[in-house]
């Protein structure tokens, strides 16, 4: 691995993030990443966070049109409430703060506690829980469905609503609508390696894939013999459509888990689009890339969000973050 | 691998690229990717290309402010002259075309032949050869230095000059200046796997690194025992500075080879910045990410470009491509 020692991986990455992105304020010691112009007068602020190892999620999504702050934990470990309280205090303009929380037990508990502490300090806090992964209900880390790729949609769309000046209740409502309308399914073709372990975190023999994998390499539905890109696309899209029958054109995220080359991801996107066309699901917008990752894990996930007119407009709204950037 | 069969990998990726990016015109059969509004009246056009497997290079850099067209070859194999001639004809507005060529023997010969054929058809063609990699002079694929990370700088900066309306001679001069002022050095921590081979293309035992690796996994200067991120940063930066002593603040590209997580790349950036500060080299702008890749190879490269005032202005100019996007 390209690291110094496992103990400094997150701090080293935050120092590097600060050096590359002067438009962010990075508190390396306390592990809070904030857009430099926060708090933005009158604007609802979005705060998210979670274990490190999923980059660019979340710190790479901090900036105008998306998150106001991110709190990175240790690798695959929830951040602590103190980080979230600090972040909320740093970005609250008085208009309130929305916590975007992926559905993992540690994250849920810590954001819950942070919300109480922040409210004690006079910050109005709303929370939205992202639980889009249809692979499993209840697992090692989660009660209910896991939060994965849809987190990007929630942060972009609710972030755009906040940037437009929507009040807290409205930003929260947009976030909830995105959660309700989004589902994901992923596969792993190799295990990921954490710095602490120094090697693969689970055993996945060549020629097999983990079908329905989570973003920590946690088990999915089953082990399967290797499938073609087209077969994986059919299985993944159908798993999503079993749970979400979109009445609107979808936003499509074809997401790499970190170790899959873009060449393969774009080829996978071709197959996903073929299957969606066969199932008569129109695609309004597509994003292809490594956005919600599991360190160096090979594999990919498909996330669909049934986008009504407003969500489509919010998707197209300008965004200026390290990892997602378009418009003005 | 997330593929159907090795034979269709490039065509599948181009179908997926077309589906995700309606702002590009993709000729899947003839393997030419063109910005949809080409030819742009009065504008010099930039055409590049090379073997596939380095994505987002080059097709991910097609769009306003960067390339007008890209010609992807088979994986790690030069595109053919016919692709380049077709691309030149599609994007030439009459103001001429600049071919941006990485210094590999196959690419050089085929772009040379394409230039002659295009000129026979009345297209004015200039060429610039990118040869930034200080690791080796002469190698398996190259006479002289190899072309790697600096290709991004050449395409961005000359592309911005062309977008501003500079004539062919001027765009070519900018490109040459960028080449003269740019140097790179890379390391591999794992081999890459090509679809045709179905596994690693060379043997790199865990605990060793290829020091001075090329973007096809070709050998570098030597095998070394694993080093820390800080040690690699020192060795890479010093290798670059041995060959290029910047009199101006630099543009810095901390580039992942495809299989290295962003978490590690940002940590590596922190170390690169530390070393540059110790060597008293000021950094004007930084880009961190997987941009000039070798499929799933783990590793990273450092590219410096000594940027004068004009190059800095051209770097900041708007760009709108799948992989690089900022400004208006």
């Amino acid at each position: 691995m390209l690291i110094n020692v496992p103990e400094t991986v997150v701090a080293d990455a935050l120092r590097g993030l600060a050096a590359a992105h002067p438009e962010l304020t990075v508190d390396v010691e306390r592990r809070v990443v904030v857009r430099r112009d926060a708090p933005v007068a009158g604007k609802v602020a979005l705060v998210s966070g979670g274990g490190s190892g999923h980059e660019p999620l979340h710190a790479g999504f901090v900036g105008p049109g998306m998150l106001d702050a991110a709190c990175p934990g240790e690798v695959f470990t929830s951040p602590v409430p103190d980080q979230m309280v600090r972040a909320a205090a740093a970005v609250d303009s008085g208009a309130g703060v929305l916590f975007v929380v992926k559905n993992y037990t540690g994250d849920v508990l810590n954001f819950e506690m942070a919300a109480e502490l922040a409210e004690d300090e006079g910050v109005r806090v709303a929370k939205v829980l992202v639980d889009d992964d249809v692979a499993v209900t209840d697992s090692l880390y989660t009660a209910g469905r896991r939060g994965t790729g849809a987190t990007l949609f929630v942060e972009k769309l609710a972030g755009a609503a906040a940037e437009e000046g929507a009040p807290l209740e409205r930003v929260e409502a947009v976030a909830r609508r995105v959660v309700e309308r989004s589902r994901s399914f992923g596969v792993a073709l190799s295990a990921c390696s954490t710095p602490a372990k120094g090697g693969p975190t689970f055993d996945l023999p060549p020629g097999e894939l983990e079908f329905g994998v989570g973003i920590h390499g946690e088990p999915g539905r089953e082990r399967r013999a290797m499938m073609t890109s087209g077969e994986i696309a059919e299985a993944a899209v159908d798993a999503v459509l079993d749970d979400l029958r979109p009445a609107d054109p979808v936003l499509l995220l074809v997401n790499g888990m970190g170790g899959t080359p873009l060449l393969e991801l774009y080829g996978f996107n071709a197959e996903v689009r073929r299957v969606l066309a066969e199932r008569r699901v129109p695609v309004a917008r597509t994003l292809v890339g490594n956005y919600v990752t599991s360190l160096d894990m090979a594999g990919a996930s498909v996330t669909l969000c049934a986008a009504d007119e407003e969500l489509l407009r919010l998707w197209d709204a300008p965004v200026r973050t390290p990892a997602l950037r378009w418009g003005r």
Side-chain angles (χ1 to χ4, degrees), chain A:
Chain A
M1 285 173 209
L2 188 54
I3 64 171
N4 288 316
V5 292
E7 293 71 26
T8 65
V9 162
V10 174
D12 288 349
L14 288 176
R15 287 192 298 126
L17 184 75
H21 296 287
E23 72 277 16
L24 302 177
T25 303
V26 180
D27 186 332
V28 175
E29 201 178 331
R30 299 198 178 88
R31 305 200 172 177
V32 178
V33 178
V34 177
R35 61 184 269 192
R36 188 167 285 283
D37 60 351
V40 180
K43 193 185 91 68
V44 169
L46 269 73
V47 173
S48 192
S52 291
H54 307 299
E55 291 67 28
L57 183 81
H58 299 271
F61 298 147
V62 174
M66 215 159 165
L67 294 179
D68 293 77
C71 309
E74 279 300 311
V75 171
F76 294 173
T77 304
S78 175
V80 295
D82 189 48
Q83 292 171 267
M84 301 150 186
V85 174
R86 238 173 243 284
V91 299
D92 182 36
S93 69
V97 176
L98 178 68
F99 284 171
V100 179
V101 187
K102 300 197 299 303
N103 190 29
Y104 298 96
T105 308
D107 292 19
V108 171
L109 290 176
N110 287 348
F111 269 106
E112 183 75 41
M113 189 178 304
E116 286 171 23
L117 292 169
E119 282 179 340
D120 286 348
E121 293 180 14
V123 179
R124 273 208 305 150
V125 177
K127 292 189 307 291
V128 62
L129 202 65
V130 186
D131 63 345
D132 52 308
D133 182 358
V134 301
V136 290
T137 49
D138 303 342
S139 71
L140 200 55
Y141 303 92
T142 331
R145 288 189 306 254
R146 301 176 293 215
T148 59
T151 315
L152 183 151
F153 287 144
V154 173
E155 295 178 358
K156 170 67 181 83
L157 298 168
E163 204 71 40
E164 288 183 357
L168 184 59
E169 295 65 29
R170 178 98 198 95
V171 173
E172 183 189 354
V174 166
R176 282 190 202 289
R177 204 157 89 244
V178 177
V179 170
E180 281 161 18
R181 289 166 162 259
S182 298
R183 293 292 186 277
S184 298
F185 190 87
V187 301
L189 281 65
S190 78
C192 51
S193 299
T194 57
K197 181 120 193 229
T201 54
F202 62 104
D203 186 48
L204 184 57
E208 293 188 21
L209 57 82
E210 185 68 48
F211 187 73
V213 76
I215 57 172
H216 309 88
E218 63 269 42
R221 290 187 177 176
E222 55 180 329
R223 282 288 161 86
R224 289 198 179 179
M226 188 57 65
M227 299 156 72
T228 66
S229 170
E231 289 164 348
I232 293 172
E234 280 181 35
V237 167
D238 285 342
V240 168
L241 294 180
D242 275 349
D243 211 76
L244 174 86
R245 193 65 229 181
D248 290 299
V250 297
L251 305 176
L252 166 64
L253 171 62
V254 172
N255 176 62
M257 295 294 194
T260 289
L262 263 189
L263 184 73
E264 296 179 25
L265 277 185
Y266 272 109
F268 184 53
N269 179 51
E271 296 298 331
V272 168
R273 289 295 293 265
R274 173 184 60 76
V275 177
L276 287 170
E278 287 169 10
R279 307 291 185 266
R280 301 189 186 288
V281 176
V283 176
R285 301 288 185 277
T286 307
L287 186 67
V288 179
N290 289 285
Y291 291 105
V292 181
T293 64
S294 308
L295 294 168
D296 60 344
M297 192 161 83
S301 62
V302 174
T303 303
L304 301 184
C305 171
D308 55 29
E309 292 278 319
E310 185 190 26
L311 296 184
L312 213 53
R313 182 177 59 72
L314 293 171
W315 180 253
D316 291 338
V319 60
R320 204 162 69 244
T321 72
L324 220 59
R325 197 164 165 160
W326 58 69
R328 267 173 295 109

